[in-house]
């Protein structure tokens, strides 16, 4: 069975690309069939860090987005789409005009939306609007990025995340812990995958220092333990 993983969040700068890279690294480390699709035309970060596993798509054209379904139907795999900020209207149009949700149900394809948020009020409002539209139609997992804030009480207060109403499909949530700022900045500057950040030590190529690698390894392992629990529960 294939699973389509949308990674998004309407607000910019909340860590969507970091979440996409963490999920990509998880699938690769677990030897799970995986294909990445980078829909961010202005900042195509997934295709930068995981170039061997990623293709670019253009949300402006159905013919390009259609690859999502074609890849999911071709083989049992994880198809991950790294969405840019303010892309929901494009996704809405593709889903609605093509009956994508019904098609996935008929073809036994799982649909998951990983929604990245920071702790600001814009994220609260945008997530609330998204959940009112999609929380009953597909699996939604809210990623609270502690690299972009610490107080997520307003996010957690949203009714779909409370889990009190048994008639409402529950929405999962988890924290992305913050990685030491200078270590993350160095990973970004060197263009390292998270595997390379944690493991690469060849003197012939740029790499992190000993304790930077250790920090990266601990951080990736911590997130992957959470991702495994969430993915196994889908």
């Amino acid at each position: 069975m294939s699973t389509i993983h949308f990674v998004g969040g309407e607000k910019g700068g909340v860590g969507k690309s970091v979440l996409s890279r963490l999920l990509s690294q998880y699938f690769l480390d677990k030897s799970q069939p995986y294909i990445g699709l980078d829909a961010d035309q202005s900042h195509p970060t997934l295709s930068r860090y995981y170039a061997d596993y990623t293709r670019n798509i253009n949300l402006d054209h159905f013919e390009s987005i259609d690859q999502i379904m074609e890849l999911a139907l071709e083989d049992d795999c994880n198809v991950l789409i790294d969405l840019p900020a303010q892309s929901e209207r494009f996704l809405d149009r593709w889903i609605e005009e093509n009956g994508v949700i019904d098609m996935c149900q008929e073809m036994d394809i799982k649909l998951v939306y990983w929604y990245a948020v920071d702790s600001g009020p814009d994220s609260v409002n945008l997530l609330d609007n998204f959940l009112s539209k999609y929380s009953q139609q597909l699996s939604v997992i809210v990623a609270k990025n502690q690299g972009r804030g610490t107080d997520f009480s307003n996010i957690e207060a949203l009714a779909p995340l409370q889990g009190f109403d048994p008639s409402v499909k529950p929405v999962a949530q988890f924290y992305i812990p913050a990685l030491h700022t200078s270590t993350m900045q160095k990973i970004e500057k060197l263009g390292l995958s998270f595997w390379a950040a944690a493991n690469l030590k060849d003197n012939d190529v740029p790499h992190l220092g000993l304790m930077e690698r250790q920090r990266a390894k601990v951080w990736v392992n911590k997130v992957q333990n959470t991702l495994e629990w969430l993915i196994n529960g889908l």
Side-chain angles (χ1 to χ4, degrees):
M1 178 191 300
S2 288
T3 303
I4 295 172
H5 302 266
F6 293 107
V7 183
E10 282 293 272
K11 185 179 178 185
V14 294
K16 292 181 292 295
S17 65
V18 169
L19 177 54
S20 292
R21 289 154 58 196
L22 285 165
L23 282 163
S24 298
Q25 193 61 60
Y26 172 84
F27 294 134
L28 293 171
D29 287 347
K30 299 298 180 180
S31 299
Q32 296 186 14
Y34 154 76
I35 299 170
L37 297 174
D38 197 333
D40 195 331
Q41 300 294 303
S42 57
H43 300 93
T45 51
L46 188 62
S47 53
R48 176 189 177 197
Y49 294 97
Y50 291 89
D52 292 342
Y53 306 94
T54 305
R55 311 175 187 182
N56 292 317
I57 61 171
N58 189 334
L59 295 178
D60 290 321
H61 303 293
F62 275 1
E63 293 79 8
S64 183
I65 315 176
D66 288 346
Q67 292 180 69
I68 297 170
M69 290 303 301
E70 291 163 0
L71 289 168
L73 289 168
E74 190 174 295
D75 291 300
D76 287 346
C77 66
N78 293 285
V79 182
L80 185 148
I81 305 94
D82 185 11
L83 296 168
Q86 300 180 355
S87 61
E88 193 174 314
R89 66 187 187 278
F90 298 102
L91 194 61
D92 287 348
R93 179 168 167 256
W94 181 69
I95 288 175
E96 291 168 8
E97 294 190 19
N98 294 284
V100 169
I101 291 174
D102 289 340
M103 185 179 180
C104 285
Q105 290 174 348
E106 292 169 7
M107 301 295 181
D108 203 22
I109 295 171
K110 292 181 181 178
L111 268 177
V112 185
Y113 198 108
W114 300 78
Y115 199 109
V117 295
D118 62 13
S119 60
D122 288 342
S123 275
V124 178
N125 295 330
L126 291 167
L127 175 61
D128 193 23
N129 291 335
F130 180 86
L131 292 176
S132 67
K133 187 187 307 179
Y134 282 118
S135 64
Q136 298 307 298
Q137 301 184 67
L138 44 79
S139 297
V140 180
I141 300 174
V142 178
K144 298 173 288 187
N145 185 3
Q146 292 181 312
R148 295 291 187 270
T150 56
D151 182 4
F152 290 88
S153 56
N154 287 337
I155 293 284
E156 292 157 358
L158 293 174
L161 276 69
Q162 294 288 308
F164 295 144
D165 188 347
S167 66
V168 175
K169 186 176 181 180
V171 174
Q173 56 182 312
F174 74 106
Y175 287 110
I176 301 175
L179 177 61
H180 187 257
T181 302
S182 63
T183 302
M184 179 62 88
Q185 289 174 342
K186 192 169 180 181
I187 292 170
E188 306 286 325
K189 181 179 179 180
L190 297 178
L192 300 174
S193 71
F194 288 138
W195 180 90
N199 296 281
L200 194 64
K201 50 189 175 182
D202 186 340
N203 288 330
D204 293 333
V205 294
H207 60 276
L208 301 185
L210 172 64
M211 293 309 297
E212 292 170 327
R213 291 198 302 275
Q214 179 66 14
R215 277 193 290 275
K217 184 180 295 185
V218 169
W219 178 73
V220 169
N221 286 341
K222 185 183 295 185
V223 178
Q224 287 198 349
N225 287 337
T226 302
L227 292 179
E228 184 165 30
W229 176 75
L230 289 164
I231 291 169
N232 287 340
L234 291 173

